[in-house]
């Protein structure tokens, strides 16, 4: 999938071309499913959400976003990252509520190995830390969300946030260290 083809289809869809949406669906759905598989790859075996279910839910919510002024592929997947985070956190909270305080929902941070070497991370703790980070530095929080939940690279994040890749890299390093400290403090 090329960035140009997705961006072109997003713009055409935004302008009311329903055929553009039909062409866009297979392009973005496969990538959403791929991202979901990566995120759920290191899940505990008792996890009740599957990659296809997660991708479907994100996709349905994205298609329902008719009022968004889609700018490009990176913007689309940035919104997808936020939705994926919300869905996973809601699912984790539901599981905890059902278990009445049982084990928390775990995700592996192998995708951000620099943040934690093969460390399992409590998704609710990550969400809490990201929420706190968003109050302190919204830009850093967005960068983590786009990189971790959407799998965007530095260039794509730069396009979404309209800031330089150097700033993205610097903020990414700072955010990783800050999150690691917060998560370590929560586990004590």
């Amino acid at each position: 999938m090329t960035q140009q083809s997705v961006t072109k289809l997003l713009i055409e869809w935004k302008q009311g071309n329903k055929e553009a949406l039909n062409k866009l669906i297979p392009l973005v759905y496969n990538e959403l499913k791929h991202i979901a598989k990566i995120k759920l790859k290191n899940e505990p075996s008792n996890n009740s959400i599957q990659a296809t279910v997660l991708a479907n839910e994100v996709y349905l919510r994205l298609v329902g976003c008719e009022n968004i002024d889609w700018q490009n592929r990176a913007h689309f997947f940035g919104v997808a990252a936020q939705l994926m985070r919300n869905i996973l956190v809601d699912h984790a909270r539901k599981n905890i509520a059902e278990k009445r305080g049982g084990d928390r929902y775990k995700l592996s941070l192998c995708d951000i190995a620099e943040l934690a070497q093969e460390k399992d991370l409590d998704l609710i703790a990550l969400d809490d830390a990201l929420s706190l980070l968003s109050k302190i530095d919204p830009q850093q929080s967005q960068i983590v969300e786009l990189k971790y939940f959407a799998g965007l690279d530095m260039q794509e994040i730069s396009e979404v946030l309209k800031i330089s890749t150097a700033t993205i890299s610097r903020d990414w390093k700072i955010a990783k260290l800050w999150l690691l400290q917060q998560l370590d403090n929560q586990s004590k």
Side-chain angles (χ1 to χ4, degrees):
M1 160 178 40
T2 67
Q3 289 185 12
Q4 294 81 12
S5 62
V6 172
T7 299
K8 181 178 181 271
L9 291 171
L10 284 168
I11 291 169
E12 289 176 14
W13 176 38
K14 177 179 67 175
Q15 294 170 343
N17 181 347
K18 299 296 181 192
E19 184 59 32
L21 178 59
N22 293 336
K23 292 178 184 175
L24 182 65
I25 289 170
L27 293 177
V28 298
Y29 180 78
N30 288 336
E31 188 151 344
L32 286 173
K33 192 170 178 180
H34 176 72
I35 291 168
K37 281 181 183 177
I38 291 169
K39 295 298 161 225
L40 298 173
K41 181 179 176 183
N42 296 314
E43 285 296 301
S45 59
N46 63 351
N47 176 28
S48 62
I49 194 167
Q50 297 176 348
T52 301
V53 173
L54 180 58
N56 287 345
E57 184 65 27
V58 170
Y59 175 76
L60 290 172
R61 291 184 187 188
L62 284 168
V63 170
C65 296
E66 294 179 3
N67 296 331
I68 294 182
D69 183 20
W70 298 114
Q71 297 171 18
N72 54 35
R73 175 190 175 277
H75 180 230
F76 182 85
F77 284 102
V79 173
Q82 188 172 19
L83 290 172
M84 195 172 290
R85 173 184 171 191
N86 293 341
I87 292 165
L88 288 170
V89 170
D90 289 347
H91 183 75
R93 286 193 171 119
K94 179 182 170 210
N95 282 348
I96 289 172
E98 288 174 356
K99 294 178 182 180
R100 294 188 183 103
D103 292 339
R104 288 188 163 193
Y105 185 73
K106 301 276 187 182
L107 281 179
S108 173
L109 272 181
C110 66
D111 293 331
I112 13 182
E114 306 91 35
L115 177 60
Q117 298 292 328
E118 298 296 322
K119 180 178 180 174
D120 280 340
L121 177 68
D122 183 324
L123 181 60
I124 294 174
L126 175 61
D127 184 61
D128 291 344
L130 280 173
S131 295
L132 182 57
L133 181 59
S134 72
K135 293 175 184 171
I136 298 167
D137 193 321
Q139 183 171 290
Q140 287 180 6
S141 178
Q142 284 182 303
I143 290 167
V144 172
E145 193 171 71
L146 292 169
K147 186 151 179 65
Y148 181 69
F149 287 97
L152 299 183
D153 63 28
M154 296 299 182
Q155 182 60 43
E156 291 170 320
I157 295 170
S158 175
E159 291 171 21
V160 171
L161 300 180
K162 296 182 178 15
I163 52 179
S164 72
T165 54
T167 300
I168 299 290
S169 294
R170 183 191 70 235
D171 282 356
W172 169 242
K173 289 175 187 173
I174 293 168
K176 285 188 304 185
L177 292 172
W178 188 89
L179 283 171
L180 182 58
Q181 180 182 18
Q182 291 299 307
L183 296 171
D184 282 346
N185 290 342
Q186 287 182 12
S187 67
K188 292 179 181 179

